[in-house]
């Protein structure tokens, strides 16, 4: 897997991964590009009989079943880590970027199973097509993302190449459907990105108004 702190290829000997779990190595580095994050799957090297190698490669599953991978975040950008879905101008939303990069760790645009579902510049996985109103889903030029501007039920899809500042993206129905096409079992619908609770503070000016005088109430939400 790529070392998320410097980008170099790294190896962990005899990595232990429990059934039903994935391991994701997370770090940060200066990327010097337009990328706020990078994510990808890991590989393996092993010796043993063919059944042992098959079990390592598939983890006993028929679809994509990596042990995990790595995810890196750019140290040169301003990160927004708040829970409010309103992202300050000029900042990168941590939730949005990490969700997107985990999609690549899970095999979107990075797995053989994903690559087998192309028809020209379109993704034709049955579940994604169904989620897209019965139409193949247009891909970006790198064939590893949805085409820029892709939406699902009016919601921006997470796995498009670029995000609009000030908007929090989460996995849409279309994003989940594509993971189901490459072998994941999806047990629930899209989860809305976390939103902040709210409270209102009201102040009075002057603090102690008297009858028949003008005063101001200021509400801060």
């Amino acid at each position: 897997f790529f070392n998320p702190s410097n980008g170099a290829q790294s190896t962990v000997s005899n990595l232990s991964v429990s059934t039903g779990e994935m391991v994701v190595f997370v770090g940060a580095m200066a990327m010097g590009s337009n990328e706020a994050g990078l994510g990808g799957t890991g590989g393996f090297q092993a010796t043993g009989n063919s059944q042992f190698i098959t079990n390592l490669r598939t983890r006993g599953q028929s679809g994509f079943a990596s042990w995990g991978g790595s995810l890196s975040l750019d140290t040169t950008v301003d990160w927004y880590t708040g829970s409010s879905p309103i992202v300050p101008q000029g900042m990168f939303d941590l939730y949005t970027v990490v969700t997107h990069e985990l999609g690549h760790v899970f095999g979107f645009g990075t797995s053989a199973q994903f690559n087998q579902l192309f028809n020209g510049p379109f993704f034709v996985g049955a579940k994604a097509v169904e989620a897209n109103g019965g139409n193949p889903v247009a891909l970006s030029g790198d064939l590893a993302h949805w085409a820029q501007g892709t939406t699902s039920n009016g919601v921006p899809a997470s796995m498009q190449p670029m995000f609009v500042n000030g908007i929090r993206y989460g996995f849409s129905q279309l994003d989940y459907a594509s993971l189901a096409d490459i072998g994941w079992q999806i047990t629930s619908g899209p989860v809305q990105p976390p939103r902040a609770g709210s409270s209102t503070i009201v102040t009075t000016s002057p603090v102690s108004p008297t009858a028949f005088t003008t005063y101001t109430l200021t509400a801060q939400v």
Side-chain angles (χ1 to χ4, degrees), residues 70-93:
S70 51
L71 187 160
S72 183
L73 301 169
D74 192 350
T75 57
T76 66
V77 303
D78 292 327
W79 288 102
Y80 171 68
T81 60
S83 59
S84 170
I86 301 174
V87 182
Q89 189 66 30
M91 300 189 75
F92 287 79
D93 184 39

Side-chain angles (χ1 to χ4, degrees), residues 3-28:
N3 186 319
S5 296
N6 58 31
Q9 182 170 314
S10 298
T11 300
V12 174
S13 299
N14 300 320
L15 179 67
S16 177
V17 184
S18 300
T19 301
E21 292 185 352
M22 293 181 69
V23 174
V24 181
F25 294 96
V26 179

Side-chain angles (χ1 to χ4, degrees), residues 21-218:
E21 292 185 352
M22 293 181 69
V23 174
V24 181
F25 294 96
V26 179
M29 59 182 174
M31 296 182 183
S33 68
N34 293 326
E35 300 285 350
L38 291 173
T41 62
F44 70 91
Q45 296 177 335
T47 58
N49 62 37
S50 60
Q51 185 59 56
F52 175 71
I53 300 299
T54 297
N55 286 340
L56 282 178
R57 179 175 54 82
T58 67
R59 302 189 69 182
Q61 305 298 317
S62 58
F64 178 71
S66 170
W67 58 263
S70 51
L71 187 160
S72 183
L73 301 169
D74 192 350
T75 57
T76 66
V77 303
D78 292 327
W79 288 102
Y80 171 68
T81 60
S83 59
S84 170
I86 301 174
V87 182
Q89 189 66 30
M91 300 189 75
F92 287 79
D93 184 39
L94 183 67
Y95 179 92
T96 296
V97 174
V98 169
T99 302
H100 175 97
E101 299 306 339
L102 282 174
H104 290 311
V105 175
F106 294 155
F108 189 106
T110 56
S111 65
Q113 288 81 358
F114 185 88
N115 295 339
Q116 290 166 1
L117 294 172
F118 291 166
N119 184 2
F122 294 93
F123 187 80
V124 294
K127 292 181 173 58
V129 169
E130 180 182 0
N132 197 42
N135 301 307
V137 189
L139 295 167
S140 63
D142 63 4
L143 300 181
H145 297 87
W146 302 131
Q148 185 65 32
T150 297
T151 62
S152 176
N153 295 327
V155 176
S158 173
M159 298 310 296
Q160 54 184 299
M162 293 183 291
F163 299 133
V164 177
N165 274 348
I167 298 177
R168 171 163 289 178
Y169 294 66
F171 253 50
S172 68
Q173 181 179 355
L174 179 62
D175 297 310
Y176 278 115
S178 67
L179 293 186
D181 280 326
I182 66 175
W184 291 98
Q185 296 178 7
I186 308 301
T187 58
S188 64
V191 177
Q192 291 297 319
R195 297 181 180 273
S198 65
S199 61
T200 304
I201 300 173
V202 179
T203 56
T204 305
S205 178
V207 176
S208 301
T210 59
F212 308 110
T213 60
T214 299
Y215 61 96
T216 302
L217 296 176
T218 302

